[in-house]
Amino acid sequence: MLNLVLFGPPGAGKGTQSQKLIDQYQLIHLSTGDLLRSEIAQGTSLGMEAKKLMDQGVLVPDEVVIGMISNKLDANKDAKGFIFDGFPRTVAQAEALDHLLDTKKSAISAMIALEVNDDELERRLLLRGKDSGRPDDANPEVIRKRIMEYNNKTAPVANFYKTQNKFYSIAGIGAIDEIFASLCSVINQL
Ligand code: B4P
């Protein structure tokens, strides 16, 4: 199985590149951001709780996103592999993911990080906020909070995969197709 973690700060292009990778490698896309937004759109109690946190730019509790991922893994038993997009975002989530995959006799193949500086992230997210309707993209203060959450809670997850020799990093600035080619060259060497 090919199980990839796509890593990077908010706006690094994880969602954008995931769409291209699922076509290329026939993987199932698991985006915790998309799953949470779908709960919000359906008006579930989980969605309503998550919305309060997401609108402030802070992370949703680990047990909520781990539960969602576990359900999705169970629902896709015959998959050739998965792209984890925006998950794991804390070390506790990374440990839980290893455990979940272990029970399915599988494992993460690689984490690939998209490197983008803070000014470019803010520019991209504000641009998207103009027509996405996402409240967390519309406000520069919320965007900075999301980047701060990333630096405090999510960046350490890279070390988790470095100690397993599964960490790769590529430049996330430039044309979308060039970044995709860099991703494929890492994946094709796994
Ligand atoms: P997410 O939905 O995961 O979103 P993201 O990090 O904002 O964006 P991504 O990196 O996917 O960027 P994209 O491709 O869209 O998270 C939202 C919130 O959900 C979090 O703040 C948190 O509250 C909650 N959450 C989600 N997962 C969680 C978890 N595991 N634990 C706890 N809480 C969780 O690209 C952004 C923009 O850049 C797009 O407009 C795109 O067109 C543009 N772009 C992409 N590549 C480009 C390029 N090369 N050049 C120029 N622009 C580019």
Side-chain angles (χ1 to χ4, degrees):
M1 262 180 124
L2 179 63
N3 292 318
L4 302 172
V5 175
L6 210 49
F7 192 66
K14 302 181 294 285
T16 304
Q17 296 296 334
S18 290
Q19 289 308 322
K20 298 175 76 72
L21 290 169
I22 53 176
D23 289 345
Q24 180 81 10
Y25 297 98
Q26 286 90 50
L27 303 173
I28 302 281
H29 181 208
L30 295 186
S31 157
T32 38
D34 287 351
L35 292 171
L36 290 166
R37 281 186 288 279
S38 149
E39 295 280 343
I40 294 171
Q42 291 169 52
T44 65
S45 57
L46 188 159
M48 292 306 97
E49 280 308 306
K51 181 171 168 40
K52 284 186 215 152
L53 299 166
M54 291 167 76
D55 285 356
Q56 295 167 44
V58 299
L59 294 181
V60 171
D62 287 336
E63 54 276 20
V64 171
V65 284
I66 292 165
M68 289 191 322
I69 289 285
S70 176
N71 291 341
K72 286 286 167 184
L73 291 177
D74 286 344
N76 289 283
K77 286 200 167 72
D78 298 327
K80 289 173 78 175
F82 295 91
I83 294 187
F84 297 94
D85 163 8
F87 180 91
R89 257 178 160 97
T90 63
V91 172
Q93 291 180 19
E95 286 167 350
L97 179 59
D98 266 7
H99 177 70
L100 280 174
L101 290 174
D102 199 37
T103 61
K104 294 170 201 320
K105 305 219 175 338
S106 190
I108 289 297
S109 314
M111 162 184 266
I112 312 178
L114 297 170
E115 304 288 350
V116 179
N117 63 57
D118 289 1
D119 287 348
E120 172 68 5
L121 297 174
E122 199 172 325
R123 188 191 71 77
R124 286 183 189 178
L125 293 175
L126 282 172
L127 196 68
R128 182 172 66 182
K130 285 186 185 157
D131 44 33
S132 71
R134 275 179 58 170
D136 59 343
D137 282 346
N139 178 335
E141 242 171 74
V142 172
I143 290 175
R144 274 179 228 128
K145 177 74 190 169
R146 287 161 66 193
I147 295 173
M148 223 157 66
E149 283 275 277
Y150 172 82
N151 288 330
N152 291 337
K153 296 180 184 165
T154 306
V157 178
N159 279 331
F160 182 87
Y161 291 98
K162 278 180 192 164
T163 59
Q164 297 186 11
N165 289 323
K166 291 178 178 175
F167 180 82
Y168 302 83
S169 167
I170 63 161
I173 293 188
I176 287 169
D177 283 341
E178 280 170 21
I179 297 165
F180 179 62
S182 305
L183 277 170
C184 292
S185 71
V186 171
I187 295 165
N188 294 339
Q189 286 170 36
L190 292 175

